[in-house]
Amino acid sequence: MTPPPPLGKAARAARSRNKDGVTFDPALDDAELATVRDALARGRWTEARNLLAETGDDWDRRGHRLVVLAEGPSSVAWAREWQLAEPDSPDAAALLACATVFRAVSGKDSPEGARAACLVAARMAPADPSPWLAVLILARRTGTDDERVRAFDQVRARHRDHHHAHHLMAACLAEHQKGDRDDPLHEVYDFAAWAAEQAPADSPLAVLPVVAHAERYRVLARAGVEPGDPARSGHWTSRRARQVMKAAFDWWLEWDVDDNAAGSAHPRRKADLNYLAHAKLHEGRLAEAAALLTRIGPHATRAPWSYPDRDPAKAFRAARRAALGSA
């Protein structure tokens, strides 16, 4: 089998940077990951092998890196090449499973085949939550509520504070009761509060209640319950919302690490900062939003700036103008 041609330099740049110059690279600030991803697109899978070997059992970082590597259009082909060369490699199996999931989510492969690939990878590395993270990503788009809960439980049994898995479950739970009002007792809020309380003091899951709040806004706005323009919504100014956002911002002030502390920062912390900056902006706390946007730098994430159906680049640039006085 001949793998599809890799992305050219211009196409890769267009994928991660739009005409306004805002970066939406899922690698976030993991420069090593971005380099290896581009090498994998050219068929150099040995660099992916080395990166995953170096990552070891840092499960959040491993999951983040596998997901980013797997999203490439030629990742399935190169993962199969790697697996042919090293059939006993759990890393090759995990990459192939994740890549197959993304093909299934986009309608290019069957969900059944993707799930089977995930189960093969899970059997090869029983302690690794990453194949179950892939199952959860698949169930998020193609499965039932029960399948999502089972996949999440499998991830959490292996790494109880798994960051990406908790974000996915918050997004799933927020979609229950789509046409209802914003019930402060909605299950997504309970889930996020429970996860934040269960996590260690330095865990970024402290920001999960803010994530849940944004995910619920996405659902309510698409259902017409909230305005489609978050600036016109009171979703971020209720007493409960302010309490949630203050707690998350206070956590950030206490626990955020210096970006220069290589290897010590959480691999997905920029995702949390985007949610928190978005919330602070719409709460009207511009000084706090400015501090967060400064720390985010160029590492914007499409969610939640795209919520409910907005151009994320325009929304992010507008946020920078409002909080920092610049685009």
Side-chain angles (χ1 to χ4, degrees), residues 219-247:
V219 174
L220 292 171
R222 287 181 179 172
V225 178
E226 289 280 354
D229 180 357
R232 294 175 45 236
S233 171
H235 191 69
W236 284 270
T237 56
S238 68
R239 183 170 178 270
R240 182 202 160 278
R242 289 182 181 276
Q243 290 174 336
V244 163
M245 289 181 284
K246 182 181 185 304

PDB file of all heavy atoms in Angstrom, residues 219-247:
ATOM      1  N   VAL A 219     -24.184  24.283  24.230  1.00  0.00           N
ATOM      2  CA  VAL A 219     -25.411  23.515  24.003  1.00  0.00           C
ATOM      3  C   VAL A 219     -26.639  24.416  24.070  1.00  0.00           C
ATOM      4  O   VAL A 219     -27.529  24.359  23.209  1.00  0.00           O
ATOM      5  CB  VAL A 219     -25.505  22.367  25.028  1.00  0.00           C
ATOM      6  CG1 VAL A 219     -26.839  21.641  24.902  1.00  0.00           C
ATOM      7  CG2 VAL A 219     -24.342  21.392  24.834  1.00  0.00           C
ATOM      8  N   LEU A 220     -26.700  25.265  25.085  1.00  0.00           N
ATOM      9  CA  LEU A 220     -27.866  26.127  25.254  1.00  0.00           C
ATOM     10  C   LEU A 220     -27.982  27.148  24.130  1.00  0.00           C
ATOM     11  O   LEU A 220     -29.088  27.442  23.652  1.00  0.00           O
ATOM     12  CB  LEU A 220     -27.787  26.839  26.607  1.00  0.00           C
ATOM     13  CG  LEU A 220     -27.950  25.945  27.843  1.00  0.00           C
ATOM     14  CD1 LEU A 220     -27.627  26.724  29.108  1.00  0.00           C
ATOM     15  CD2 LEU A 220     -29.353  25.362  27.922  1.00  0.00           C
ATOM     16  N   ALA A 221     -26.859  27.684  23.690  1.00  0.00           N
ATOM     17  CA  ALA A 221     -26.899  28.681  22.617  1.00  0.00           C
ATOM     18  C   ALA A 221     -27.331  28.042  21.300  1.00  0.00           C
ATOM     19  O   ALA A 221     -28.103  28.633  20.538  1.00  0.00           O
ATOM     20  CB  ALA A 221     -25.532  29.350  22.471  1.00  0.00           C
ATOM     21  N   ARG A 222     -26.859  26.842  21.025  1.00  0.00           N
ATOM     22  CA  ARG A 222     -27.273  26.174  19.795  1.00  0.00           C
ATOM     23  C   ARG A 222     -28.752  25.782  19.833  1.00  0.00           C
ATOM     24  O   ARG A 222     -29.390  25.657  18.786  1.00  0.00           O
ATOM     25  CB  ARG A 222     -26.394  24.943  19.554  1.00  0.00           C
ATOM     26  CG  ARG A 222     -24.985  25.315  19.111  1.00  0.00           C
ATOM     27  CD  ARG A 222     -24.117  24.113  18.859  1.00  0.00           C
ATOM     28  NE  ARG A 222     -22.774  24.513  18.424  1.00  0.00           N
ATOM     29  CZ  ARG A 222     -21.749  23.686  18.270  1.00  0.00           C
ATOM     30  NH1 ARG A 222     -21.915  22.390  18.514  1.00  0.00           N
ATOM     31  NH2 ARG A 222     -20.581  24.139  17.873  1.00  0.00           N
ATOM     32  N   ALA A 223     -29.278  25.606  21.033  1.00  0.00           N
ATOM     33  CA  ALA A 223     -30.702  25.292  21.174  1.00  0.00           C
ATOM     34  C   ALA A 223     -31.570  26.543  21.195  1.00  0.00           C
ATOM     35  O   ALA A 223     -32.796  26.447  21.250  1.00  0.00           O
ATOM     36  CB  ALA A 223     -30.931  24.485  22.447  1.00  0.00           C
ATOM     37  N   GLY A 224     -30.937  27.726  21.178  1.00  0.00           N
ATOM     38  CA  GLY A 224     -31.685  28.977  21.192  1.00  0.00           C
ATOM     39  C   GLY A 224     -32.078  29.452  22.566  1.00  0.00           C
ATOM     40  O   GLY A 224     -32.792  30.450  22.705  1.00  0.00           O
ATOM     41  N   VAL A 225     -31.614  28.784  23.618  1.00  0.00           N
ATOM     42  CA  VAL A 225     -31.934  29.182  24.989  1.00  0.00           C
ATOM     43  C   VAL A 225     -31.089  30.378  25.408  1.00  0.00           C
ATOM     44  O   VAL A 225     -31.539  31.241  26.161  1.00  0.00           O
ATOM     45  CB  VAL A 225     -31.740  27.996  25.956  1.00  0.00           C
ATOM     46  CG1 VAL A 225     -32.020  28.407  27.396  1.00  0.00           C
ATOM     47  CG2 VAL A 225     -32.640  26.832  25.552  1.00  0.00           C
ATOM     48  N   GLU A 226     -29.836  30.425  24.945  1.00  0.00           N
ATOM     49  CA  GLU A 226     -28.929  31.541  25.202  1.00  0.00           C
ATOM     50  C   GLU A 226     -28.644  32.264  23.892  1.00  0.00           C
ATOM     51  O   GLU A 226     -28.714  31.652  22.811  1.00  0.00           O
ATOM     52  CB  GLU A 226     -27.613  31.034  25.803  1.00  0.00           C
ATOM     53  CG  GLU A 226     -27.710  30.523  27.224  1.00  0.00           C
ATOM     54  CD  GLU A 226     -27.718  31.644  28.253  1.00  0.00           C
ATOM     55  OE1 GLU A 226     -27.525  32.811  27.856  1.00  0.00           O
ATOM     56  OE2 GLU A 226     -27.911  31.340  29.435  1.00  0.00           O
ATOM     57  N   PRO A 227     -28.278  33.547  23.942  1.00  0.00           N
ATOM     58  CA  PRO A 227     -27.906  34.265  22.717  1.00  0.00           C
ATOM     59  C   PRO A 227     -26.692  33.629  22.046  1.00  0.00           C
ATOM     60  O   PRO A 227     -25.813  33.077  22.713  1.00  0.00           O
ATOM     61  CB  PRO A 227     -27.572  35.677  23.218  1.00  0.00           C
ATOM     62  CG  PRO A 227     -28.224  35.795  24.550  1.00  0.00           C
ATOM     63  CD  PRO A 227     -28.234  34.418  25.129  1.00  0.00           C
ATOM     64  N   GLY A 228     -26.659  33.709  20.725  1.00  0.00           N
ATOM     65  CA  GLY A 228     -25.525  33.159  19.993  1.00  0.00           C
ATOM     66  C   GLY A 228     -24.253  33.955  20.174  1.00  0.00           C
ATOM     67  O   GLY A 228     -23.157  33.453  19.932  1.00  0.00           O
ATOM     68  N   ASP A 229     -24.366  35.196  20.633  1.00  0.00           N
ATOM     69  CA  ASP A 229     -23.206  36.024  20.935  1.00  0.00           C
ATOM     70  C   ASP A 229     -22.959  35.954  22.437  1.00  0.00           C
ATOM     71  O   ASP A 229     -23.773  36.440  23.233  1.00  0.00           O
ATOM     72  CB  ASP A 229     -23.471  37.471  20.509  1.00  0.00           C
ATOM     73  CG  ASP A 229     -22.292  38.389  20.796  1.00  0.00           C
ATOM     74  OD1 ASP A 229     -21.299  37.922  21.375  1.00  0.00           O
ATOM     75  OD2 ASP A 229     -22.383  39.582  20.431  1.00  0.00           O
ATOM     76  N   PRO A 230     -21.864  35.348  22.869  1.00  0.00           N
ATOM     77  CA  PRO A 230     -21.650  35.204  24.316  1.00  0.00           C
ATOM     78  C   PRO A 230     -21.559  36.535  25.044  1.00  0.00           C
ATOM     79  O   PRO A 230     -21.839  36.608  26.239  1.00  0.00           O
ATOM     80  CB  PRO A 230     -20.332  34.424  24.407  1.00  0.00           C
ATOM     81  CG  PRO A 230     -19.687  34.568  23.077  1.00  0.00           C
ATOM     82  CD  PRO A 230     -20.779  34.720  22.084  1.00  0.00           C
ATOM     83  N   ALA A 231     -21.204  37.607  24.332  1.00  0.00           N
ATOM     84  CA  ALA A 231     -21.129  38.916  24.975  1.00  0.00           C
ATOM     85  C   ALA A 231     -22.506  39.416  25.409  1.00  0.00           C
ATOM     86  O   ALA A 231     -22.615  40.264  26.298  1.00  0.00           O
ATOM     87  CB  ALA A 231     -20.487  39.927  24.025  1.00  0.00           C
ATOM     88  N   ARG A 232     -23.552  38.890  24.788  1.00  0.00           N
ATOM     89  CA  ARG A 232     -24.922  39.290  25.123  1.00  0.00           C
ATOM     90  C   ARG A 232     -25.577  38.332  26.107  1.00  0.00           C
ATOM     91  O   ARG A 232     -26.722  38.509  26.487  1.00  0.00           O
ATOM     92  CB  ARG A 232     -25.766  39.381  23.844  1.00  0.00           C
ATOM     93  CG  ARG A 232     -25.333  40.489  22.896  1.00  0.00           C
ATOM     94  CD  ARG A 232     -26.124  40.438  21.595  1.00  0.00           C
ATOM     95  NE  ARG A 232     -27.552  40.239  21.848  1.00  0.00           N
ATOM     96  CZ  ARG A 232     -28.280  39.248  21.338  1.00  0.00           C
ATOM     97  NH1 ARG A 232     -27.710  38.339  20.540  1.00  0.00           N
ATOM     98  NH2 ARG A 232     -29.565  39.146  21.599  1.00  0.00           N
ATOM     99  N   SER A 233     -24.849  37.319  26.506  1.00  0.00           N
ATOM    100  CA  SER A 233     -25.401  36.307  27.406  1.00  0.00           C
ATOM    101  C   SER A 233     -25.036  36.622  28.853  1.00  0.00           C
ATOM    102  O   SER A 233     -23.956  37.130  29.139  1.00  0.00           O
ATOM    103  CB  SER A 233     -24.840  34.927  27.037  1.00  0.00           C
ATOM    104  OG  SER A 233     -25.184  33.972  28.013  1.00  0.00           O
ATOM    105  N   GLY A 234     -25.942  36.319  29.748  1.00  0.00           N
ATOM    106  CA  GLY A 234     -25.638  36.456  31.167  1.00  0.00           C
ATOM    107  C   GLY A 234     -25.074  35.184  31.768  1.00  0.00           C
ATOM    108  O   GLY A 234     -24.999  35.048  32.998  1.00  0.00           O
ATOM    109  N   HIS A 235     -24.653  34.278  30.907  1.00  0.00           N
ATOM    110  CA  HIS A 235     -24.224  32.957  31.359  1.00  0.00           C
ATOM    111  C   HIS A 235     -23.007  33.028  32.286  1.00  0.00           C
ATOM    112  O   HIS A 235     -22.830  32.161  33.137  1.00  0.00           O
ATOM    113  CB  HIS A 235     -23.899  32.097  30.133  1.00  0.00           C
ATOM    114  CG  HIS A 235     -23.703  30.646  30.419  1.00  0.00           C
ATOM    115  ND1 HIS A 235     -24.722  29.800  30.807  1.00  0.00           N
ATOM    116  CD2 HIS A 235     -22.587  29.877  30.368  1.00  0.00           C
ATOM    117  CE1 HIS A 235     -24.251  28.581  30.977  1.00  0.00           C
ATOM    118  NE2 HIS A 235     -22.959  28.600  30.720  1.00  0.00           N
ATOM    119  N   TRP A 236     -22.175  34.052  32.113  1.00  0.00           N
ATOM    120  CA  TRP A 236     -20.944  34.147  32.901  1.00  0.00           C
ATOM    121  C   TRP A 236     -21.050  35.139  34.053  1.00  0.00           C
ATOM    122  O   TRP A 236     -20.049  35.428  34.701  1.00  0.00           O
ATOM    123  CB  TRP A 236     -19.769  34.530  31.998  1.00  0.00           C
ATOM    124  CG  TRP A 236     -19.295  33.388  31.179  1.00  0.00           C
ATOM    125  CD1 TRP A 236     -18.329  32.466  31.509  1.00  0.00           C
ATOM    126  CD2 TRP A 236     -19.770  32.996  29.887  1.00  0.00           C
ATOM    127  NE1 TRP A 236     -18.194  31.545  30.510  1.00  0.00           N
ATOM    128  CE2 TRP A 236     -19.065  31.837  29.496  1.00  0.00           C
ATOM    129  CE3 TRP A 236     -20.732  33.500  29.018  1.00  0.00           C
ATOM    130  CZ2 TRP A 236     -19.281  31.189  28.284  1.00  0.00           C
ATOM    131  CZ3 TRP A 236     -20.960  32.860  27.809  1.00  0.00           C
ATOM    132  CH2 TRP A 236     -20.242  31.723  27.450  1.00  0.00           C
ATOM    133  N   THR A 237     -22.239  35.667  34.298  1.00  0.00           N
ATOM    134  CA  THR A 237     -22.354  36.701  35.324  1.00  0.00           C
ATOM    135  C   THR A 237     -23.265  36.317  36.480  1.00  0.00           C
ATOM    136  O   THR A 237     -23.524  37.129  37.362  1.00  0.00           O
ATOM    137  CB  THR A 237     -22.865  38.016  34.697  1.00  0.00           C
ATOM    138  OG1 THR A 237     -24.109  37.778  34.027  1.00  0.00           O
ATOM    139  CG2 THR A 237     -21.848  38.574  33.706  1.00  0.00           C
ATOM    140  N   SER A 238     -23.745  35.077  36.490  1.00  0.00           N
ATOM    141  CA  SER A 238     -24.542  34.637  37.628  1.00  0.00           C
ATOM    142  C   SER A 238     -23.638  34.459  38.849  1.00  0.00           C
ATOM    143  O   SER A 238     -22.411  34.375  38.738  1.00  0.00           O
ATOM    144  CB  SER A 238     -25.238  33.309  37.319  1.00  0.00           C
ATOM    145  OG  SER A 238     -24.281  32.262  37.213  1.00  0.00           O
ATOM    146  N   ARG A 239     -24.246  34.397  40.016  1.00  0.00           N
ATOM    147  CA  ARG A 239     -23.468  34.240  41.252  1.00  0.00           C
ATOM    148  C   ARG A 239     -22.663  32.954  41.218  1.00  0.00           C
ATOM    149  O   ARG A 239     -21.477  32.928  41.570  1.00  0.00           O
ATOM    150  CB  ARG A 239     -24.419  34.255  42.452  1.00  0.00           C
ATOM    151  CG  ARG A 239     -23.711  34.163  43.797  1.00  0.00           C
ATOM    152  CD  ARG A 239     -24.710  34.428  44.942  1.00  0.00           C
ATOM    153  NE  ARG A 239     -24.061  34.302  46.232  1.00  0.00           N
ATOM    154  CZ  ARG A 239     -23.983  33.169  46.927  1.00  0.00           C
ATOM    155  NH1 ARG A 239     -24.516  32.055  46.425  1.00  0.00           N
ATOM    156  NH2 ARG A 239     -23.387  33.135  48.106  1.00  0.00           N
ATOM    157  N   ARG A 240     -23.304  31.876  40.770  1.00  0.00           N
ATOM    158  CA  ARG A 240     -22.601  30.596  40.717  1.00  0.00           C
ATOM    159  C   ARG A 240     -21.426  30.639  39.749  1.00  0.00           C
ATOM    160  O   ARG A 240     -20.337  30.154  40.034  1.00  0.00           O
ATOM    161  CB  ARG A 240     -23.586  29.492  40.294  1.00  0.00           C
ATOM    162  CG  ARG A 240     -22.966  28.121  40.245  1.00  0.00           C
ATOM    163  CD  ARG A 240     -23.743  27.163  39.354  1.00  0.00           C
ATOM    164  NE  ARG A 240     -22.865  26.080  38.985  1.00  0.00           N
ATOM    165  CZ  ARG A 240     -21.981  26.151  37.998  1.00  0.00           C
ATOM    166  NH1 ARG A 240     -21.862  27.253  37.287  1.00  0.00           N
ATOM    167  NH2 ARG A 240     -21.190  25.131  37.732  1.00  0.00           N
ATOM    168  N   ALA A 241     -21.658  31.241  38.581  1.00  0.00           N
ATOM    169  CA  ALA A 241     -20.598  31.316  37.579  1.00  0.00           C
ATOM    170  C   ALA A 241     -19.407  32.112  38.107  1.00  0.00           C
ATOM    171  O   ALA A 241     -18.245  31.718  37.921  1.00  0.00           O
ATOM    172  CB  ALA A 241     -21.130  31.949  36.304  1.00  0.00           C
ATOM    173  N   ARG A 242     -19.679  33.222  38.768  1.00  0.00           N
ATOM    174  CA  ARG A 242     -18.591  34.045  39.304  1.00  0.00           C
ATOM    175  C   ARG A 242     -17.784  33.279  40.352  1.00  0.00           C
ATOM    176  O   ARG A 242     -16.563  33.395  40.415  1.00  0.00           O
ATOM    177  CB  ARG A 242     -19.150  35.342  39.886  1.00  0.00           C
ATOM    178  CG  ARG A 242     -19.663  36.325  38.829  1.00  0.00           C
ATOM    179  CD  ARG A 242     -20.149  37.619  39.489  1.00  0.00           C
ATOM    180  NE  ARG A 242     -20.669  38.550  38.508  1.00  0.00           N
ATOM    181  CZ  ARG A 242     -19.918  39.397  37.787  1.00  0.00           C
ATOM    182  NH1 ARG A 242     -18.610  39.385  37.933  1.00  0.00           N
ATOM    183  NH2 ARG A 242     -20.472  40.232  36.926  1.00  0.00           N
ATOM    184  N   GLN A 243     -18.461  32.500  41.171  1.00  0.00           N
ATOM    185  CA  GLN A 243     -17.761  31.707  42.188  1.00  0.00           C
ATOM    186  C   GLN A 243     -16.847  30.679  41.529  1.00  0.00           C
ATOM    187  O   GLN A 243     -15.695  30.496  41.946  1.00  0.00           O
ATOM    188  CB  GLN A 243     -18.772  31.022  43.105  1.00  0.00           C
ATOM    189  CG  GLN A 243     -19.512  31.965  44.028  1.00  0.00           C
ATOM    190  CD  GLN A 243     -20.606  31.266  44.825  1.00  0.00           C
ATOM    191  OE1 GLN A 243     -21.120  30.214  44.419  1.00  0.00           O
ATOM    192  NE2 GLN A 243     -20.981  31.842  45.955  1.00  0.00           N
ATOM    193  N   VAL A 244     -17.376  30.009  40.509  1.00  0.00           N
ATOM    194  CA  VAL A 244     -16.600  28.994  39.796  1.00  0.00           C
ATOM    195  C   VAL A 244     -15.359  29.616  39.165  1.00  0.00           C
ATOM    196  O   VAL A 244     -14.247  29.085  39.258  1.00  0.00           O
ATOM    197  CB  VAL A 244     -17.485  28.322  38.725  1.00  0.00           C
ATOM    198  CG1 VAL A 244     -16.646  27.591  37.696  1.00  0.00           C
ATOM    199  CG2 VAL A 244     -18.478  27.362  39.385  1.00  0.00           C
ATOM    200  N   MET A 245     -15.542  30.766  38.524  1.00  0.00           N
ATOM    201  CA  MET A 245     -14.424  31.385  37.808  1.00  0.00           C
ATOM    202  C   MET A 245     -13.395  31.980  38.759  1.00  0.00           C
ATOM    203  O   MET A 245     -12.197  31.945  38.493  1.00  0.00           O
ATOM    204  CB  MET A 245     -14.955  32.417  36.825  1.00  0.00           C
ATOM    205  CG  MET A 245     -15.661  31.745  35.645  1.00  0.00           C
ATOM    206  SD  MET A 245     -16.300  32.882  34.422  1.00  0.00           S
ATOM    207  CE  MET A 245     -17.737  33.491  35.257  1.00  0.00           C
ATOM    208  N   LYS A 246     -13.856  32.505  39.885  1.00  0.00           N
ATOM    209  CA  LYS A 246     -12.903  33.020  40.869  1.00  0.00           C
ATOM    210  C   LYS A 246     -12.039  31.899  41.426  1.00  0.00           C
ATOM    211  O   LYS A 246     -10.819  32.038  41.554  1.00  0.00           O
ATOM    212  CB  LYS A 246     -13.635  33.722  42.014  1.00  0.00           C
ATOM    213  CG  LYS A 246     -12.664  34.329  43.044  1.00  0.00           C
ATOM    214  CD  LYS A 246     -13.390  34.993  44.187  1.00  0.00           C
ATOM    215  CE  LYS A 246     -12.402  35.690  45.120  1.00  0.00           C
ATOM    216  NZ  LYS A 246     -11.356  34.776  45.652  1.00  0.00           N
ATOM    217  N   ALA A 247     -12.675  30.762  41.740  1.00  0.00           N
ATOM    218  CA  ALA A 247     -11.915  29.626  42.273  1.00  0.00           C
ATOM    219  C   ALA A 247     -10.873  29.148  41.265  1.00  0.00           C
ATOM    220  O   ALA A 247      -9.726  28.854  41.631  1.00  0.00           O
ATOM    221  CB  ALA A 247     -12.871  28.496  42.637  1.00  0.00           C
TER     222      ALA A 247
END
